[in-house]
Amino acid sequence: MNGSILRIDIPRGTWMVDVYKESNDNGVYELVYPVKEASISLQKDHLYGFDYNIAAPKQTPFKLFLDDEVLVEGKVGESGYVRGSGVL
């Protein structure tokens, strides 16, 4: 297993970030407001996915990191809400 740091950089707002292995999810969010950083264990050669939900004032910048790698970067739009997913 590989220990990694999942981190969100955002000046204000609320968020939830979930990392899951293939199609299995343990139901625990890795990052939930106000926690901005968490240690996660990833097994080498396994596929992981992630989902994120952010609510913040429009134009609030945000970045989601895994260690030093930027997974997602953007700004909150007019709705004040951003939702997305990706693969690790």
Side-chain angles (χ1 to χ4, degrees), residues 16-75:
M16 295 188 312
V17 181
D18 187 22
V19 175
Y20 50 91
K21 181 178 172 183
E22 297 167 2
S23 63
N24 299 325
D25 187 15
N26 62 7
V28 175
Y29 284 86
E30 281 63 35
L31 295 179
V32 177
Y33 172 83
V35 176
K36 286 190 169 187
E37 185 174 296
S39 179
I40 61 173
S41 295
L42 303 175
Q43 294 178 345
K44 188 176 179 181
D45 299 327
H46 280 278
L47 181 64
Y48 293 86
F50 68 94
D51 294 320
Y52 62 94
N53 298 285
I54 299 170
K58 66 181 182 178
Q59 296 303 309
T60 300
F62 67 91
K63 288 183 185 178
L64 185 61
F65 293 88
L66 182 63
D67 296 325
D68 293 329
E69 179 182 352
V70 176
L71 300 175
V72 179
E73 179 176 12
K75 289 186 178 181

